[in-house]
Structure formats: structure tokens, C-alpha cells
Amino acid sequence: MNVAVAKTGNGRAVSDLFASAEGRLPGSPSVIAARREAFETYERLGLPHRRIEEWKYTDLRALVGEVLPLAAAPDAAGLKRAADAVKAHAIAGARKLVLVDGVFAPDLSDIKALASEAGFKTLRETLEKDSGLLKTAATDAVISLNAAMATDGVVLDIADGAQLSAPIQIIHIATAPSASTFTRSQIAVGKGARATIIESFVAAGAKAYQVNDAVILSVGDNADVAHIRLMDDSPDAVNVTSQFVTVGANTKLNFFNMTTGAAVSRLQGFITLAGEGSELSVNGVNLLQKTEHGDTTLVVDHAVPNCVSREVFRAVIDDRAHSVFQGRIIVRPDAQKTDGKMMIRALLLSDEAEADNKPELEIFADDVSCGHGATAGALDDSLLFYLKARGLPEKQAQALLIQAFVGEAIEQIADDDLREHVIGIAERWLERRQ
Amino acid sequence: MALLEVKDLKVRVEEREILHGLTLTVNEGEIHAIMGPNGSGKSTLSHVIAGKPGYEVTDGQILFKGEDLLEMAPNERAAKGVFLAFQYPVEIPGVATMNFLRTALNAQRKARGESEYSTPDFLKKVREVSKSLNVPQDMLKRGVNVGFSGGEKKRNEVLQMALFEPSLCILDEMDSGLDIDALRIAADGVNALHSPKRAMVVITHYQRLLNYIVPDIVHVMSKGRVVKSGGKELALELEASGYAQFEDAA
Ligand SMILES: Nc1ncnc2c1ncn2[C@@H]1O[C@H](COP(=O)(O)OP(=O)(O)OP(=O)(O)O)[C@@H](O)[C@H]1O
Ligand SMILES: [Mg+2]
């Protein structure tokens, strides 16, 4: 039987991507069948483009063109570079789980220290038995592609009542140039548990690589969780990450993302408030320069009554960079007494910088308090002058004001050391523009 | 030696000429007072000296220690020793006062090729200065001027002046908004800084300030020019008879 071969925007046969990778993809025969099905969905849809409403501002066909071949497992030299990168990017005291070129690296990870506090498996192990992890609540072409191609990831099980004594840091390291990695992780936080999970994306020598990551996070009732994503990939990389989050009742979830790297990036998050009385804080910072394109798209779905959601987004856009913030708040018919607010502010540092801010409310209940706002503007000249009149050179004066601007989102991170780590990454971004 | 020489300065703001040929020379060690009605151009002059954008100098020049000040960026002027205590200091939310003070002081020192202050040395210096000016430590923990009362903002300006130790201090209505005790403390701070190498230009509407900071020379500004200069008794004369006699002269 002849299978019709879909073409990418530039006419190349994409099915090579799967055919050449298939032998290296982990999973039982039923998992492989599920992967093939997911890949067919991807082939049918192709990379998202601007005529698909959700991807209107991030046309991957135009921005990325083609998906690079699957990265090979890292060699000894790659692992050595990765070990150095771990040293440079590890957060002091955190338990590290390291993925190198899409493959879990046990020697660089703190599995032993973690074992007493959380259940841990790799995605690879999990897929030997079960294809459940390849299914997600929402799907689109990049999510289907991830399901088809995911090589590894971490599967964390934080038991009911567990109080993690240290944060868990998942570090994604790219050492292979001109290749793609596909990772998928699941984090289940039990009832009444308390955990901080950080995900860092960095390069170790690699350029022009592509990352497609998926995270499935479930937070049980009465839990207290911080999830912090720090995407600092190489400036010529592509990073597309999809997050699926379900929140139980009376929980506190603090969700943070900072984008400081990648030529093209998209973080799409789907957060469902599924239990009453929960408080969700979502904060995002895009720091973009050169011709970078950074898209943060988050859907917060109030499915039940009496939840609070607060979203604070800040974009700092230099040169000819392009920032996209799309925030949608959905309030389902039953979700009375929902309190949902979102504020998006963009700071344009150059005349050619571009910001597309799109806050959206879809409200189907009548007794709610929801609101959003979006602004875009330049640095305040009178403040800049005050600082310069006190001796600060232009760039340094700008840096102080930029730090203050993004500080409003970063200060939502409660842990002092973690906040300092995040500020450090933002400062390095600022130094790159000096 | 002349520290500041303003020669026949003409300045336009948004197509309107505000300073119409202003001349003023301030020598090292001198204290000058500038008085004049609202809108006569006192703040405009101070802004042009500090390098605020939006002012177009159409004629004349400003020399500082013999160098062309108008060629320098505002931060270079600050590093060379020009300090303006603003009439209306801005609030800068999110920038902690301490961080701002240290960054500014070290930027100036770096520009002059001096070593930067270490954190303990800096803290010691700030503590000394804030104590002598009666500025509570708690004010320094807040954002720059954020939520400060009018008087607190002025005190923060004098604090910066004492910290940066500039050679030319221009004080634009530092007395407005200060209560009597604060005024005396701030004036003491200014006087403490006064030295044979340093000059002060005090812009004020009130003779009272000049009882504390005693000027060598008083200038009357009207309609964008210095229309009269004299000794400190000129301030008393103005207090008694107002500006009407000078408006015609301009
Ligand atoms: N940015 C501006 N745009 C338009 N006009 C301006 C601007 N700045 C100053 N002016 C005008 O210039 C003139 C001088 O103003 P300036 O603030 O220098 O006066 P001043 O002597 O300091 O007054 P005051 O005693 O009230 O502080 C005023 O008529 C003012 O309206
Ligand atoms: Mg004035």
C-alpha cells in the first residue's frame, strides 16, 4: 500500500523524520502504534501556520520551515560538555534531573537523593508498559509530533503529604547541533504536598537545534506548588513547549516562565482549575533581542467555582525582536465567584521591536470578577534622565529600569535563592545588550 | 577660578525661546542665589546645565572647569562634578534606593578612573551621611522616592549631594516642602559640603533659606535673563518690594 507523503512548506517529505527515527524510539509495540498514529496526525496538519487562529502570531512554517532530524544519543564529548553546563546552571541545593539531547542522563542526576522524597522513573521506562503518557488533554500538530517522537523525560510522583526539602530542577541540555529533541515529562503532585519544580533549558555548545517538550503536571488538593520554567536556549535554537496542568481543590500553584533564549520559541500552557478554592498565580517574562521571536500563550480554564487566578506578563523587546503574549481566561458556566485578572505590559526598547499582546476573556458564568489589561510603551524619559543625571550611563540606566519592570513578575517567586537565580539570568540577558 | 561660565545662553523649548541670552559666572568657593518670579526660567537653566533632553540651545555656551558642558552626556557631567537637586524629583518604582545610590556612586567613580566602593565601605558611607542629614534608614529601603512626602524627596536629593560630593551643586527650590527643622538640617548639610573648591547655586523664592545658606552673590532672573546681581542684601530688598521693578528691566 502506498502512503501519501505530506510535504512541509518547502516541499520536503516529512515522513523521513519518523522513518529514520522509529528504530530509536522507545516503547512497546502498542506504544509504537500510538506514535505512528500521532505522527499521521502531525503529517496531516503540518507545522502550524498563521491561518490557524492560536498560531496567528507564530507562523512556524514561516519561522522554522522544517523539523530537523532526531538528535542522536549524546556521545562522551557531549556528555562532558553537558556536565560542565550542569555545573553552570544548577541551582544550589536543588535535586537535578538532567536530560541531554532528549535522553535522561543518570550520571548527571541526583536520583539517590531524590529517591527518599519522590518516586522517579524515566519516560523511556514508562513507555515499555503503557502509552497513556502519549495522550494529552489538548492537542495540535506540535503536540502530536511530540507524542510521536518523544525519546525520554522524567516521570515524577510526589506522594500525598510529601514536603520536599529541596527543589527539583529538570535541566534540558542540548549538545547536538542541527538536530531535534523531543521530551515529555509527567509530574504528579499528591494531596497536601509541597514542591518546587524548576525546568531549565540550556545549550552546551550546540547551535541551531530544535526542542519540542511537553509537560503534564497534576496538582492534588491542598497542595502548594511552584513551577518555574527558565528557557535560556541558544540564540539560534527553536523551543516549542506544551504544558498541561490540572489543579485540584484548595491548592496554591505558582507558575512562572522566563524566556531569555532561542531564535523562535513558543510556550503554550493549558491550565485547568478543576477543584474549588484554589489560587493560581501565573507570571511570565519574555526578554528578547536581535530578531528573536518569543511567544507565551496560556489558557487558564476556570472549570469550577471559587478560584482565583492572577496573571502578570512582562515583555522587554529590543532590536527587531517580536514578543507574543496570548492569555485566555475561560470561565465555565458553573464557575461562579471566579476572580480572574490578567495584566500584560510590554516595554519596547527599539523602534523596530514588536509586541502582540492578546488578552481574552471567555465568560459563561454571571457572578464573576474578571479583568485584563495590556499596555506597550518605551522607557520613561524622565526616569532615564534622573538616573543619568546621577551618573549612570545610558545602558546602565536602562538596565535598572528594565530590572524594575520585570521585577514585578519575578518578585512573585517566593524563594529567595531561586529568585536571585532568576534575576541572575535576566542580568546576563541585560549584559548581552550592553 | 571660574567653575561655571554660562555665556549669552539662548534656549528654546518646543519652538518657544525661554532663555534669551543668559550670562552667569560662578567661581570656586562661591555661593550664588538665584531668585525670580515663577516662569522666569530658573529650572530651565538648571535643566540645561544638567543635560536634560528636550531643550534646544540656539546660541551661547556653558563651560564647566573650562570644558564645553553642552558636548557631554548627562552622566559625564555628573561624573565631572555637576549635581542638580531637582525641584520635582521623580519616583522610580522597583528601583531600591540603596541599589540606586551604590550604582550611581560607583558609576561616577568608574568614569573618573577611581576605584569602586565595596559594599561594606559604601554602607558605612551611606550610614554616616544619612545620619548627619537625619534621613531614616527605612527610607533607603524603599523604591527611589516612591511614596516619599514632598519633604522626604528633597531630603533624598540633599542626601545624594552629600554622598556624591560634587564640585557644583545646584539646588532648585530645595526649601519648598521642607519643614523648619528639616530646612535647617538640609542647610547644615549644604554648608558642611561648602569648601573653597566647591560652589553652590541656590535657587529659591524665599529669603529665609538665605539666612541659613548665606550667598556671596544674589541674582535676579526675569523673563529668561539675569537682570540684576548684587550682595546678599539684594535678597532682603526683593523680599520687601517684590519683582515688579525688575520686570520692566527685562
Ligand atoms: N517642556 C516645556 N514645554 C513648554 N514650556 C515649558 C517647558 N518647560 C518650561 N516651559 C516654560 O518655560 C518657562 C520657564 O519655566 P521654568 O520652569 O524654567 O520656570 P521657573 O523660573 O523655574 O519657575 P518656578 O519658580 O515656578 O519654578 C515657563 O513659562 C514654562 O511654562
Ligand atoms: Mg522652577
Side-chain angles (χ1 to χ4, degrees), chain B residues 43 87 172-173:
Chain B
S43 293
Q87 181 174 3
D172 192 355
E173 297 197 24

Side-chain angles (χ1 to χ4, degrees), chain A residues 71-384:
Chain A
D75 56 15
L79 284 171
K80 171 78 183 61
R81 284 205 302 280
D84 294 339
V86 167
K87 280 197 201 96
H89 299 282
I91 290 165
R95 270 78 192 253
K96 302 180 292 291
L97 294 171
V98 180
L99 293 153
V100 182
D101 298 334
V103 180
F104 182 68
D107 295 346
L108 300 177
S109 303
D110 302 321
I111 313 174
K112 277 217 185 77
L114 191 66
S116 60
E117 296 197 335
F120 169 75
K121 271 192 265 179
T122 62
L123 178 78
R124 183 171 285 268
E125 288 170 277
T126 311
L127 289 180
E128 292 307 333
K129 297 190 195 70
D130 180 17
S131 66
L133 267 181
L134 296 183
K135 296 189 182 67
T136 44
T139 192
D140 65 11
V142 297
I143 299 165
S144 296
L145 182 61
N146 181 283
M149 305 283 291
T151 46
D152 215 343
V154 306
V155 179
L156 273 172
D157 190 1
I158 298 166
D160 290 355
Q163 310 285 305
L164 294 198
S165 62
I168 296 173
Q169 185 183 16
I170 302 166
I171 311 180
H172 298 253
I173 299 174
T175 75
S178 309
S180 283
T181 65
F182 299 87
T183 45
R184 178 171 287 229
S185 295
Q186 175 172 276
I187 303 158
V189 182
K191 290 180 182 150
R194 192 187 172 93
T196 295
I197 292 134
I198 302 132
E199 289 202 65
S200 303
F201 291 83
V202 296
K207 288 182 176 170
Y209 58 90
Q210 298 177 350
V211 174
N212 181 330
D213 181 47
V215 179
I216 302 160
L217 170 66
S218 61
V219 183
D221 298 349
N222 300 303
D224 185 347
V225 173
H227 184 279
I228 286 139
R229 178 178 178 272
L230 305 170
M231 200 283 280
D232 197 19
D233 268 313
S234 160
D236 37 24
V238 175
N239 184 310
V240 178
T241 295
S242 310
Q243 297 174 325
F244 309 91
V245 184
T246 321
V247 184
N250 301 310
T251 66
K252 271 179 80 173
L253 175 60
N254 211 324
F255 211 71
F256 179 88
N257 174 67
M258 186 161 80
T259 294
T260 46
V264 177
S265 68
R266 156 100 157 188
L267 167 65
Q268 46 178 3
F270 306 89
I271 305 175
T272 302
L273 290 160
E276 290 191 39
S278 287
E279 273 175 50
L280 171 68
S281 163
V282 180
N283 303 281
V285 176
N286 282 358
L287 299 177
L288 304 170
Q289 52 188 240
K290 309 273 167 44
T291 56
E292 290 165 2
H293 177 106
D295 173 344
T296 303
T297 294
L298 292 167
V299 180
V300 172
D301 188 343
H302 284 263
V304 296
N306 294 314
C307 288
V308 177
S309 64
R310 286 284 174 278
E311 298 177 63
V312 174
F313 296 124
R314 294 285 181 270
V316 180
I317 316 153
D318 203 358
D319 307 321
R320 288 157 57 209
H322 183 184
S323 171
V324 179
F325 267 121
Q326 303 188 98
R328 187 190 304 166
I329 300 175
I330 304 172
V331 182
R332 301 285 169 187
D334 287 344
Q336 301 296 0
K337 308 281 181 199
T338 287
D339 175 356
K341 307 244 163 27
M342 170 173 25
M343 185 66 205
I344 310 178
R345 286 176 63 199
L347 181 58
L348 302 160
L349 297 177
S350 110
D351 293 341
E352 291 174 289
E354 203 182 331
D356 283 302
N357 293 331
K358 192 175 164 203
E360 273 182 292
L361 296 176
E362 281 180 26
I363 301 179
F364 303 103
D366 49 21
D367 184 12
V368 301
S369 155
C370 289
H372 64 69
T375 66
L379 284 170
D380 185 324
D381 282 334
S382 63
L383 305 192
L384 268 179

Side-chain angles (χ1 to χ4, degrees), chain B residues 68-80:
Chain B
D68 185 355
L69 203 62
L70 296 173
E71 286 296 306
M72 297 178 208
N75 50 298
E76 296 173 66
R77 303 180 194 199
K80 296 242 182 223

Side-chain angles (χ1 to χ4, degrees), chain B residues 13-14 16 18 36-45 55 87-88 172-173 205:
Chain B
V13 179
E14 287 170 6
R16 195 180 128 213
I18 309 285
N38 296 129
S40 56
K42 304 181 297 295
S43 293
T44 301
L45 172 65
Y55 297 88
Q87 181 174 3
Y88 302 110
D172 192 355
E173 297 197 24
H205 287 293

Side-chain angles (χ1 to χ4, degrees), chain B residues 54-167:
Chain B
Y55 297 88
E56 189 198 347
V57 176
T58 54
D59 205 359
Q61 61 176 174
I62 306 179
L63 301 180
F64 181 68
K65 296 179 183 169
E67 288 184 87
D68 185 355
L69 203 62
L70 296 173
E71 286 296 306
M72 297 178 208
N75 50 298
E76 296 173 66
R77 303 180 194 199
K80 296 242 182 223
V82 175
F83 181 91
L84 167 61
F86 289 93
Q87 181 174 3
Y88 302 110
V90 292
E91 299 192 10
I92 314 183
V95 176
T97 302
M98 274 301 215
N99 184 28
F100 157 69
L101 293 176
R102 185 173 54 210
T103 311
L105 182 60
N106 280 336
Q108 292 190 21
R109 292 180 66 87
K110 193 173 165 202
R112 291 193 292 262
E114 297 166 8
S115 67
E116 295 182 22
Y117 271 104
S118 70
T119 302
D121 288 350
F122 167 77
L123 290 175
K124 189 162 162 267
K125 195 167 165 69
V126 172
R127 231 173 267 129
E128 271 167 27
V129 170
S130 53
K131 196 160 169 249
S132 73
L133 293 170
N134 219 6
V135 172
Q137 289 294 311
D138 142 74
M139 236 170 84
L140 305 178
K141 291 196 184 111
R142 286 144 68 179
V144 177
N145 293 327
V146 176
F148 286 20
S149 73
E152 286 171 339
K153 285 180 186 165
K154 293 304 176 77
R155 268 195 258 183
N156 193 20
E157 296 291 289
V158 178
L159 172 92
Q160 292 172 49
M161 188 178 86
L163 194 64
F164 300 150
E165 303 174 289
S167 41

